[in-house]
Amino acid sequence: MNQSTDELVKKLRKESTEYKNRAKKIAEFLTSGQRVWQYQYDMLRYQREMLITLANTVDLRIKDIEQNGGMTL
């Protein structure tokens, strides 16, 4: 991999970590026992699922870049 690819992978890893951390914070909030409206609870669960999906998608992209030794579409 070249320098620009390394920088892209580093940026993607940071992005994936941010998504995972946000999903973790939502999970902690949902399991904290704090009272919320059912609508809020459902929306937070949906947001958490979307963040996990985004993190997994980014992780797959990183894996693809690393396996192919560079950028592929």
PDB file of all heavy atoms in Angstrom, residues 34-63:
ATOM      1  N   GLN A  34     -32.802   4.453  32.853  1.00  0.00           N
ATOM      2  CA  GLN A  34     -33.421   5.773  32.799  1.00  0.00           C
ATOM      3  C   GLN A  34     -34.725   5.685  32.002  1.00  0.00           C
ATOM      4  O   GLN A  34     -34.789   5.006  30.987  1.00  0.00           O
ATOM      5  CB  GLN A  34     -32.474   6.776  32.151  1.00  0.00           C
ATOM      6  CG  GLN A  34     -32.973   8.194  32.188  1.00  0.00           C
ATOM      7  CD  GLN A  34     -31.912   9.184  31.729  1.00  0.00           C
ATOM      8  OE1 GLN A  34     -30.755   8.840  31.613  1.00  0.00           O
ATOM      9  NE2 GLN A  34     -32.319  10.399  31.475  1.00  0.00           N
ATOM     10  N   ARG A  35     -35.727   6.383  32.483  1.00  0.00           N
ATOM     11  CA  ARG A  35     -37.032   6.344  31.828  1.00  0.00           C
ATOM     12  C   ARG A  35     -37.023   7.213  30.573  1.00  0.00           C
ATOM     13  O   ARG A  35     -36.572   8.352  30.598  1.00  0.00           O
ATOM     14  CB  ARG A  35     -38.120   6.822  32.768  1.00  0.00           C
ATOM     15  CG  ARG A  35     -38.238   5.959  33.987  1.00  0.00           C
ATOM     16  CD  ARG A  35     -39.359   6.425  34.884  1.00  0.00           C
ATOM     17  NE  ARG A  35     -40.113   5.245  35.251  1.00  0.00           N
ATOM     18  CZ  ARG A  35     -41.425   5.122  35.159  1.00  0.00           C
ATOM     19  NH1 ARG A  35     -42.149   6.126  34.754  1.00  0.00           N
ATOM     20  NH2 ARG A  35     -42.020   4.002  35.504  1.00  0.00           N
ATOM     21  N   VAL A  36     -37.515   6.636  29.487  1.00  0.00           N
ATOM     22  CA  VAL A  36     -37.676   7.372  28.231  1.00  0.00           C
ATOM     23  C   VAL A  36     -38.999   6.938  27.604  1.00  0.00           C
ATOM     24  O   VAL A  36     -39.532   5.868  27.903  1.00  0.00           O
ATOM     25  CB  VAL A  36     -36.520   7.115  27.234  1.00  0.00           C
ATOM     26  CG1 VAL A  36     -35.219   7.662  27.746  1.00  0.00           C
ATOM     27  CG2 VAL A  36     -36.394   5.644  26.909  1.00  0.00           C
ATOM     28  N   TRP A  37     -39.513   7.771  26.734  1.00  0.00           N
ATOM     29  CA  TRP A  37     -40.712   7.405  25.995  1.00  0.00           C
ATOM     30  C   TRP A  37     -40.388   6.229  25.079  1.00  0.00           C
ATOM     31  O   TRP A  37     -39.253   6.078  24.619  1.00  0.00           O
ATOM     32  CB  TRP A  37     -41.199   8.579  25.153  1.00  0.00           C
ATOM     33  CG  TRP A  37     -41.681   9.738  25.956  1.00  0.00           C
ATOM     34  CD1 TRP A  37     -40.980  10.868  26.261  1.00  0.00           C
ATOM     35  CD2 TRP A  37     -42.955   9.873  26.575  1.00  0.00           C
ATOM     36  NE1 TRP A  37     -41.739  11.705  27.017  1.00  0.00           N
ATOM     37  CE2 TRP A  37     -42.966  11.122  27.232  1.00  0.00           C
ATOM     38  CE3 TRP A  37     -44.096   9.070  26.637  1.00  0.00           C
ATOM     39  CZ2 TRP A  37     -44.074  11.568  27.932  1.00  0.00           C
ATOM     40  CZ3 TRP A  37     -45.196   9.518  27.328  1.00  0.00           C
ATOM     41  CH2 TRP A  37     -45.180  10.758  27.965  1.00  0.00           C
ATOM     42  N   GLN A  38     -41.390   5.422  24.802  1.00  0.00           N
ATOM     43  CA  GLN A  38     -41.191   4.261  23.927  1.00  0.00           C
ATOM     44  C   GLN A  38     -40.658   4.693  22.564  1.00  0.00           C
ATOM     45  O   GLN A  38     -39.781   4.051  21.999  1.00  0.00           O
ATOM     46  CB  GLN A  38     -42.507   3.482  23.762  1.00  0.00           C
ATOM     47  CG  GLN A  38     -42.367   2.212  22.938  1.00  0.00           C
ATOM     48  CD  GLN A  38     -41.483   1.171  23.591  1.00  0.00           C
ATOM     49  OE1 GLN A  38     -41.558   0.961  24.792  1.00  0.00           O
ATOM     50  NE2 GLN A  38     -40.634   0.530  22.813  1.00  0.00           N
ATOM     51  N   TYR A  39     -41.169   5.807  22.053  1.00  0.00           N
ATOM     52  CA  TYR A  39     -40.706   6.310  20.759  1.00  0.00           C
ATOM     53  C   TYR A  39     -39.210   6.629  20.815  1.00  0.00           C
ATOM     54  O   TYR A  39     -38.456   6.284  19.903  1.00  0.00           O
ATOM     55  CB  TYR A  39     -41.510   7.560  20.374  1.00  0.00           C
ATOM     56  CG  TYR A  39     -41.019   8.224  19.117  1.00  0.00           C
ATOM     57  CD1 TYR A  39     -41.322   7.692  17.870  1.00  0.00           C
ATOM     58  CD2 TYR A  39     -40.243   9.383  19.163  1.00  0.00           C
ATOM     59  CE1 TYR A  39     -40.871   8.289  16.702  1.00  0.00           C
ATOM     60  CE2 TYR A  39     -39.789   9.987  18.016  1.00  0.00           C
ATOM     61  CZ  TYR A  39     -40.110   9.433  16.783  1.00  0.00           C
ATOM     62  OH  TYR A  39     -39.650  10.021  15.641  1.00  0.00           O
ATOM     63  N   GLN A  40     -38.778   7.293  21.895  1.00  0.00           N
ATOM     64  CA  GLN A  40     -37.359   7.624  22.042  1.00  0.00           C
ATOM     65  C   GLN A  40     -36.519   6.355  22.125  1.00  0.00           C
ATOM     66  O   GLN A  40     -35.451   6.272  21.519  1.00  0.00           O
ATOM     67  CB  GLN A  40     -37.127   8.463  23.297  1.00  0.00           C
ATOM     68  CG  GLN A  40     -37.675   9.854  23.225  1.00  0.00           C
ATOM     69  CD  GLN A  40     -37.585  10.554  24.564  1.00  0.00           C
ATOM     70  OE1 GLN A  40     -37.973  10.004  25.591  1.00  0.00           O
ATOM     71  NE2 GLN A  40     -37.067  11.783  24.546  1.00  0.00           N
ATOM     72  N   TYR A  41     -36.998   5.392  22.876  1.00  0.00           N
ATOM     73  CA  TYR A  41     -36.288   4.119  23.017  1.00  0.00           C
ATOM     74  C   TYR A  41     -36.129   3.440  21.659  1.00  0.00           C
ATOM     75  O   TYR A  41     -35.035   3.000  21.303  1.00  0.00           O
ATOM     76  CB  TYR A  41     -37.063   3.216  23.980  1.00  0.00           C
ATOM     77  CG  TYR A  41     -36.416   1.877  24.210  1.00  0.00           C
ATOM     78  CD1 TYR A  41     -35.401   1.730  25.149  1.00  0.00           C
ATOM     79  CD2 TYR A  41     -36.826   0.753  23.501  1.00  0.00           C
ATOM     80  CE1 TYR A  41     -34.802   0.504  25.366  1.00  0.00           C
ATOM     81  CE2 TYR A  41     -36.231  -0.481  23.707  1.00  0.00           C
ATOM     82  CZ  TYR A  41     -35.222  -0.597  24.632  1.00  0.00           C
ATOM     83  OH  TYR A  41     -34.630  -1.822  24.837  1.00  0.00           O
ATOM     84  N   ASP A  42     -37.227   3.385  20.912  1.00  0.00           N
ATOM     85  CA  ASP A  42     -37.181   2.753  19.589  1.00  0.00           C
ATOM     86  C   ASP A  42     -36.228   3.489  18.646  1.00  0.00           C
ATOM     87  O   ASP A  42     -35.474   2.863  17.897  1.00  0.00           O
ATOM     88  CB  ASP A  42     -38.574   2.689  18.968  1.00  0.00           C
ATOM     89  CG  ASP A  42     -39.502   1.735  19.710  1.00  0.00           C
ATOM     90  OD1 ASP A  42     -39.002   0.864  20.462  1.00  0.00           O
ATOM     91  OD2 ASP A  42     -40.732   1.867  19.534  1.00  0.00           O
ATOM     92  N   MET A  43     -36.263   4.812  18.688  1.00  0.00           N
ATOM     93  CA  MET A  43     -35.387   5.600  17.816  1.00  0.00           C
ATOM     94  C   MET A  43     -33.917   5.411  18.193  1.00  0.00           C
ATOM     95  O   MET A  43     -33.051   5.311  17.319  1.00  0.00           O
ATOM     96  CB  MET A  43     -35.760   7.082  17.855  1.00  0.00           C
ATOM     97  CG  MET A  43     -37.082   7.399  17.179  1.00  0.00           C
ATOM     98  SD  MET A  43     -37.148   6.878  15.443  1.00  0.00           S
ATOM     99  CE  MET A  43     -35.953   7.956  14.720  1.00  0.00           C
ATOM    100  N   LEU A  44     -33.623   5.361  19.473  1.00  0.00           N
ATOM    101  CA  LEU A  44     -32.244   5.141  19.906  1.00  0.00           C
ATOM    102  C   LEU A  44     -31.758   3.746  19.513  1.00  0.00           C
ATOM    103  O   LEU A  44     -30.611   3.580  19.087  1.00  0.00           O
ATOM    104  CB  LEU A  44     -32.117   5.349  21.411  1.00  0.00           C
ATOM    105  CG  LEU A  44     -32.182   6.799  21.879  1.00  0.00           C
ATOM    106  CD1 LEU A  44     -32.314   6.876  23.393  1.00  0.00           C
ATOM    107  CD2 LEU A  44     -30.961   7.570  21.399  1.00  0.00           C
ATOM    108  N   ARG A  45     -32.619   2.751  19.647  1.00  0.00           N
ATOM    109  CA  ARG A  45     -32.238   1.399  19.217  1.00  0.00           C
ATOM    110  C   ARG A  45     -31.966   1.364  17.710  1.00  0.00           C
ATOM    111  O   ARG A  45     -31.002   0.757  17.263  1.00  0.00           O
ATOM    112  CB  ARG A  45     -33.346   0.403  19.554  1.00  0.00           C
ATOM    113  CG  ARG A  45     -33.332  -0.001  21.002  1.00  0.00           C
ATOM    114  CD  ARG A  45     -34.230  -1.169  21.276  1.00  0.00           C
ATOM    115  NE  ARG A  45     -33.856  -2.283  20.402  1.00  0.00           N
ATOM    116  CZ  ARG A  45     -34.659  -3.297  20.123  1.00  0.00           C
ATOM    117  NH1 ARG A  45     -35.858  -3.350  20.639  1.00  0.00           N
ATOM    118  NH2 ARG A  45     -34.258  -4.265  19.340  1.00  0.00           N
ATOM    119  N   TYR A  46     -32.825   2.039  16.938  1.00  0.00           N
ATOM    120  CA  TYR A  46     -32.637   2.093  15.486  1.00  0.00           C
ATOM    121  C   TYR A  46     -31.329   2.812  15.150  1.00  0.00           C
ATOM    122  O   TYR A  46     -30.558   2.353  14.302  1.00  0.00           O
ATOM    123  CB  TYR A  46     -33.828   2.804  14.834  1.00  0.00           C
ATOM    124  CG  TYR A  46     -33.676   2.961  13.347  1.00  0.00           C
ATOM    125  CD1 TYR A  46     -33.841   1.876  12.492  1.00  0.00           C
ATOM    126  CD2 TYR A  46     -33.361   4.195  12.787  1.00  0.00           C
ATOM    127  CE1 TYR A  46     -33.690   2.017  11.124  1.00  0.00           C
ATOM    128  CE2 TYR A  46     -33.211   4.346  11.427  1.00  0.00           C
ATOM    129  CZ  TYR A  46     -33.380   3.254  10.602  1.00  0.00           C
ATOM    130  OH  TYR A  46     -33.224   3.401   9.244  1.00  0.00           O
ATOM    131  N   GLN A  47     -31.065   3.927  15.825  1.00  0.00           N
ATOM    132  CA  GLN A  47     -29.831   4.678  15.579  1.00  0.00           C
ATOM    133  C   GLN A  47     -28.613   3.824  15.903  1.00  0.00           C
ATOM    134  O   GLN A  47     -27.626   3.812  15.167  1.00  0.00           O
ATOM    135  CB  GLN A  47     -29.818   5.957  16.406  1.00  0.00           C
ATOM    136  CG  GLN A  47     -28.606   6.824  16.145  1.00  0.00           C
ATOM    137  CD  GLN A  47     -28.616   8.096  16.966  1.00  0.00           C
ATOM    138  OE1 GLN A  47     -29.438   8.272  17.875  1.00  0.00           O
ATOM    139  NE2 GLN A  47     -27.710   8.999  16.659  1.00  0.00           N
ATOM    140  N   ARG A  48     -28.684   3.073  17.003  1.00  0.00           N
ATOM    141  CA  ARG A  48     -27.584   2.183  17.389  1.00  0.00           C
ATOM    142  C   ARG A  48     -27.348   1.122  16.318  1.00  0.00           C
ATOM    143  O   ARG A  48     -26.212   0.849  15.936  1.00  0.00           O
ATOM    144  CB  ARG A  48     -27.898   1.535  18.737  1.00  0.00           C
ATOM    145  CG  ARG A  48     -26.796   0.602  19.201  1.00  0.00           C
ATOM    146  CD  ARG A  48     -27.123   0.004  20.568  1.00  0.00           C
ATOM    147  NE  ARG A  48     -26.123  -0.987  20.921  1.00  0.00           N
ATOM    148  CZ  ARG A  48     -26.221  -2.283  20.644  1.00  0.00           C
ATOM    149  NH1 ARG A  48     -27.280  -2.744  20.025  1.00  0.00           N
ATOM    150  NH2 ARG A  48     -25.255  -3.110  20.986  1.00  0.00           N
ATOM    151  N   GLU A  49     -28.416   0.515  15.827  1.00  0.00           N
ATOM    152  CA  GLU A  49     -28.291  -0.495  14.778  1.00  0.00           C
ATOM    153  C   GLU A  49     -27.660   0.090  13.519  1.00  0.00           C
ATOM    154  O   GLU A  49     -26.830  -0.558  12.871  1.00  0.00           O
ATOM    155  CB  GLU A  49     -29.657  -1.094  14.461  1.00  0.00           C
ATOM    156  CG  GLU A  49     -30.214  -1.959  15.571  1.00  0.00           C
ATOM    157  CD  GLU A  49     -31.648  -2.400  15.323  1.00  0.00           C
ATOM    158  OE1 GLU A  49     -32.132  -2.261  14.185  1.00  0.00           O
ATOM    159  OE2 GLU A  49     -32.274  -2.879  16.284  1.00  0.00           O
ATOM    160  N   MET A  50     -28.043   1.307  13.173  1.00  0.00           N
ATOM    161  CA  MET A  50     -27.478   1.958  11.982  1.00  0.00           C
ATOM    162  C   MET A  50     -25.986   2.247  12.184  1.00  0.00           C
ATOM    163  O   MET A  50     -25.182   2.071  11.252  1.00  0.00           O
ATOM    164  CB  MET A  50     -28.234   3.249  11.658  1.00  0.00           C
ATOM    165  CG  MET A  50     -29.654   3.014  11.200  1.00  0.00           C
ATOM    166  SD  MET A  50     -29.767   1.942   9.739  1.00  0.00           S
ATOM    167  CE  MET A  50     -28.903   2.891   8.535  1.00  0.00           C
ATOM    168  N   LEU A  51     -25.597   2.679  13.363  1.00  0.00           N
ATOM    169  CA  LEU A  51     -24.184   2.945  13.643  1.00  0.00           C
ATOM    170  C   LEU A  51     -23.359   1.662  13.558  1.00  0.00           C
ATOM    171  O   LEU A  51     -22.249   1.666  13.018  1.00  0.00           O
ATOM    172  CB  LEU A  51     -24.020   3.580  15.025  1.00  0.00           C
ATOM    173  CG  LEU A  51     -24.479   5.038  15.135  1.00  0.00           C
ATOM    174  CD1 LEU A  51     -24.579   5.447  16.592  1.00  0.00           C
ATOM    175  CD2 LEU A  51     -23.555   5.951  14.361  1.00  0.00           C
ATOM    176  N   ILE A  52     -23.906   0.569  14.073  1.00  0.00           N
ATOM    177  CA  ILE A  52     -23.211  -0.716  13.988  1.00  0.00           C
ATOM    178  C   ILE A  52     -23.070  -1.138  12.529  1.00  0.00           C
ATOM    179  O   ILE A  52     -22.001  -1.617  12.111  1.00  0.00           O
ATOM    180  CB  ILE A  52     -23.947  -1.783  14.828  1.00  0.00           C
ATOM    181  CG1 ILE A  52     -23.807  -1.461  16.318  1.00  0.00           C
ATOM    182  CG2 ILE A  52     -23.420  -3.176  14.524  1.00  0.00           C
ATOM    183  CD1 ILE A  52     -24.708  -2.280  17.217  1.00  0.00           C
ATOM    184  N   THR A  53     -24.118  -0.955  11.741  1.00  0.00           N
ATOM    185  CA  THR A  53     -24.067  -1.290  10.321  1.00  0.00           C
ATOM    186  C   THR A  53     -23.018  -0.446   9.603  1.00  0.00           C
ATOM    187  O   THR A  53     -22.246  -0.967   8.784  1.00  0.00           O
ATOM    188  CB  THR A  53     -25.450  -1.082   9.668  1.00  0.00           C
ATOM    189  OG1 THR A  53     -26.397  -1.928  10.323  1.00  0.00           O
ATOM    190  CG2 THR A  53     -25.422  -1.407   8.192  1.00  0.00           C
ATOM    191  N   LEU A  54     -22.967   0.835   9.901  1.00  0.00           N
ATOM    192  CA  LEU A  54     -21.957   1.713   9.297  1.00  0.00           C
ATOM    193  C   LEU A  54     -20.547   1.268   9.673  1.00  0.00           C
ATOM    194  O   LEU A  54     -19.658   1.223   8.819  1.00  0.00           O
ATOM    195  CB  LEU A  54     -22.171   3.161   9.739  1.00  0.00           C
ATOM    196  CG  LEU A  54     -23.319   3.906   9.070  1.00  0.00           C
ATOM    197  CD1 LEU A  54     -23.591   5.219   9.798  1.00  0.00           C
ATOM    198  CD2 LEU A  54     -23.008   4.157   7.614  1.00  0.00           C
ATOM    199  N   ALA A  55     -20.343   0.944  10.944  1.00  0.00           N
ATOM    200  CA  ALA A  55     -19.021   0.495  11.398  1.00  0.00           C
ATOM    201  C   ALA A  55     -18.626  -0.792  10.675  1.00  0.00           C
ATOM    202  O   ALA A  55     -17.479  -0.930  10.226  1.00  0.00           O
ATOM    203  CB  ALA A  55     -19.018   0.282  12.901  1.00  0.00           C
ATOM    204  N   ASN A  56     -19.550  -1.725  10.546  1.00  0.00           N
ATOM    205  CA  ASN A  56     -19.254  -2.975   9.851  1.00  0.00           C
ATOM    206  C   ASN A  56     -18.948  -2.744   8.380  1.00  0.00           C
ATOM    207  O   ASN A  56     -18.047  -3.385   7.811  1.00  0.00           O
ATOM    208  CB  ASN A  56     -20.417  -3.962  10.004  1.00  0.00           C
ATOM    209  CG  ASN A  56     -20.542  -4.492  11.408  1.00  0.00           C
ATOM    210  OD1 ASN A  56     -19.595  -4.477  12.178  1.00  0.00           O
ATOM    211  ND2 ASN A  56     -21.729  -4.957  11.760  1.00  0.00           N
ATOM    212  N   THR A  57     -19.667  -1.828   7.756  1.00  0.00           N
ATOM    213  CA  THR A  57     -19.420  -1.501   6.350  1.00  0.00           C
ATOM    214  C   THR A  57     -18.026  -0.901   6.174  1.00  0.00           C
ATOM    215  O   THR A  57     -17.294  -1.262   5.252  1.00  0.00           O
ATOM    216  CB  THR A  57     -20.487  -0.520   5.831  1.00  0.00           C
ATOM    217  OG1 THR A  57     -21.777  -1.121   6.000  1.00  0.00           O
ATOM    218  CG2 THR A  57     -20.269  -0.182   4.370  1.00  0.00           C
ATOM    219  N   VAL A  58     -17.654   0.005   7.069  1.00  0.00           N
ATOM    220  CA  VAL A  58     -16.323   0.619   7.010  1.00  0.00           C
ATOM    221  C   VAL A  58     -15.245  -0.433   7.241  1.00  0.00           C
ATOM    222  O   VAL A  58     -14.221  -0.457   6.549  1.00  0.00           O
ATOM    223  CB  VAL A  58     -16.212   1.785   8.019  1.00  0.00           C
ATOM    224  CG1 VAL A  58     -14.787   2.298   8.110  1.00  0.00           C
ATOM    225  CG2 VAL A  58     -17.152   2.914   7.631  1.00  0.00           C
ATOM    226  N   ASP A  59     -15.475  -1.344   8.193  1.00  0.00           N
ATOM    227  CA  ASP A  59     -14.506  -2.411   8.459  1.00  0.00           C
ATOM    228  C   ASP A  59     -14.318  -3.307   7.232  1.00  0.00           C
ATOM    229  O   ASP A  59     -13.198  -3.716   6.918  1.00  0.00           O
ATOM    230  CB  ASP A  59     -14.942  -3.254   9.658  1.00  0.00           C
ATOM    231  CG  ASP A  59     -14.811  -2.506  10.974  1.00  0.00           C
ATOM    232  OD1 ASP A  59     -14.097  -1.478  11.020  1.00  0.00           O
ATOM    233  OD2 ASP A  59     -15.432  -2.950  11.959  1.00  0.00           O
ATOM    234  N   LEU A  60     -15.411  -3.602   6.533  1.00  0.00           N
ATOM    235  CA  LEU A  60     -15.306  -4.407   5.309  1.00  0.00           C
ATOM    236  C   LEU A  60     -14.534  -3.660   4.224  1.00  0.00           C
ATOM    237  O   LEU A  60     -13.762  -4.261   3.478  1.00  0.00           O
ATOM    238  CB  LEU A  60     -16.700  -4.782   4.800  1.00  0.00           C
ATOM    239  CG  LEU A  60     -17.431  -5.843   5.615  1.00  0.00           C
ATOM    240  CD1 LEU A  60     -18.868  -5.991   5.102  1.00  0.00           C
ATOM    241  CD2 LEU A  60     -16.700  -7.170   5.547  1.00  0.00           C
ATOM    242  N   ARG A  61     -14.743  -2.366   4.157  1.00  0.00           N
ATOM    243  CA  ARG A  61     -14.014  -1.546   3.175  1.00  0.00           C
ATOM    244  C   ARG A  61     -12.516  -1.556   3.485  1.00  0.00           C
ATOM    245  O   ARG A  61     -11.690  -1.669   2.582  1.00  0.00           O
ATOM    246  CB  ARG A  61     -14.554  -0.112   3.196  1.00  0.00           C
ATOM    247  CG  ARG A  61     -13.915   0.791   2.191  1.00  0.00           C
ATOM    248  CD  ARG A  61     -14.314   0.407   0.784  1.00  0.00           C
ATOM    249  NE  ARG A  61     -13.717   1.323  -0.144  1.00  0.00           N
ATOM    250  CZ  ARG A  61     -12.936   0.955  -1.147  1.00  0.00           C
ATOM    251  NH1 ARG A  61     -12.689  -0.305  -1.364  1.00  0.00           N
ATOM    252  NH2 ARG A  61     -12.416   1.845  -1.938  1.00  0.00           N
ATOM    253  N   ILE A  62     -12.165  -1.446   4.753  1.00  0.00           N
ATOM    254  CA  ILE A  62     -10.758  -1.496   5.160  1.00  0.00           C
ATOM    255  C   ILE A  62     -10.153  -2.839   4.772  1.00  0.00           C
ATOM    256  O   ILE A  62      -9.066  -2.903   4.206  1.00  0.00           O
ATOM    257  CB  ILE A  62     -10.615  -1.256   6.676  1.00  0.00           C
ATOM    258  CG1 ILE A  62     -10.977   0.186   7.021  1.00  0.00           C
ATOM    259  CG2 ILE A  62      -9.208  -1.577   7.155  1.00  0.00           C
ATOM    260  CD1 ILE A  62     -11.147   0.432   8.506  1.00  0.00           C
ATOM    261  N   LYS A  63     -10.883  -3.898   5.064  1.00  0.00           N
ATOM    262  CA  LYS A  63     -10.404  -5.242   4.732  1.00  0.00           C
ATOM    263  C   LYS A  63     -10.199  -5.384   3.225  1.00  0.00           C
ATOM    264  O   LYS A  63      -9.197  -5.946   2.773  1.00  0.00           O
ATOM    265  CB  LYS A  63     -11.407  -6.276   5.233  1.00  0.00           C
ATOM    266  CG  LYS A  63     -10.989  -7.701   5.013  1.00  0.00           C
ATOM    267  CD  LYS A  63     -12.015  -8.664   5.581  1.00  0.00           C
ATOM    268  CE  LYS A  63     -11.619 -10.094   5.299  1.00  0.00           C
ATOM    269  NZ  LYS A  63     -12.638 -11.046   5.798  1.00  0.00           N
TER     270      LYS A  63
END
